[in-house]
Amino acid sequence: MPVLFEVMSALVILSCLIAKFRVKLAHFALALIFTLISATIIRLAAKWIFGRTWPETWLQLDSGGNPSWITHGVEGFHPFMAGAAYNSFPSGHALFTFALVSVFWWRLPKLYPLWLAAMLGAVAGQIGQNYHFLGDLLAGATLGVFCAQISIWLSERVMTKHH
């Protein structure tokens, strides 16, 4: 799900290279750029800070599979642990989906059923496949909406100064 919205974001941003689209889409593109940057920083920092194990073993590491709740009975936070085995919290899929979809929802509010379906689909897919705990998804979704709101506010400030 996030890849779809990353591609859509790239198309909006790249369309600003064409002068006739720049005026119409500059504000939208700027909000998407700020969202992508802030979501990336928050995702990387939070995963390292919290160090949460996954619900299921799906990584093949030199030391064996990643520790997980379903396979090993391991569930918890291990702050500042490096490595993919401790990257469950927050969900990057939820964070990026909710962040980017929130910006699209802001610019195209009449399509809200589509945006809502994308958000719920991202959560349902991750839960259904045991990729994340519910708390990982709720944290990712919350941080994603936060990134979008801050990015929209910041883009409005920048665009106001240039007009």
Side-chain angles (χ1 to χ4, degrees):
M1 192 67 67
V3 173
L4 170 65
F5 289 99
E6 289 166 358
V7 169
M8 290 171 58
S9 297
L11 292 173
V12 170
I13 293 164
L14 291 173
S15 70
C16 289
L17 296 173
I18 301 167
K20 70 179 182 176
F21 295 120
R22 191 174 306 128
V23 173
K24 185 175 181 179
L25 297 176
H27 191 186
F28 189 14
L30 191 58
L32 288 168
I33 289 168
F34 288 155
T35 300
L36 287 163
I37 291 168
S38 63
T40 299
I41 291 168
I42 287 174
R43 184 194 70 164
L44 293 173
K47 285 183 179 288
W48 179 69
I49 290 168
F50 291 103
R52 187 171 196 181
T53 55
W54 301 90
E56 179 61 277
T57 300
W58 54 272
L59 291 173
Q60 296 308 315
L61 307 170
D62 293 336
S63 60
N66 61 285
S68 70
W69 172 249
I70 294 171
T71 304
H72 306 100
V74 175
E75 190 276 322
F77 292 92
H78 307 274
F80 310 109
M81 290 293 291
Y86 301 96
N87 280 348
S88 183
F89 185 91
S91 165
H93 282 83
L95 196 156
F96 273 84
T97 299
F98 276 70
L100 295 173
V101 169
S102 293
V103 177
F104 278 92
W105 193 332
W106 164 65
R107 289 298 290 193
L108 303 163
K110 290 182 180 179
L111 297 176
Y112 80 89
L114 176 65
W115 310 137
L116 190 58
M119 291 171 160
L120 294 175
V123 170
Q126 296 292 302
I127 286 282
Q129 297 176 42
N130 291 322
Y131 284 148
H132 284 287
F133 296 102
L134 180 59
D136 303 342
L137 293 159
L138 294 174
T142 301
L143 290 169
V145 171
F146 175 74
C147 287
Q149 293 302 309
I150 294 298
S151 298
I152 290 166
W153 175 82
L154 187 57
S155 69
E156 288 173 345
R157 299 277 308 224
V158 169
M159 294 304 288
T160 301
K161 287 184 179 183
H162 285 92
H163 285 97

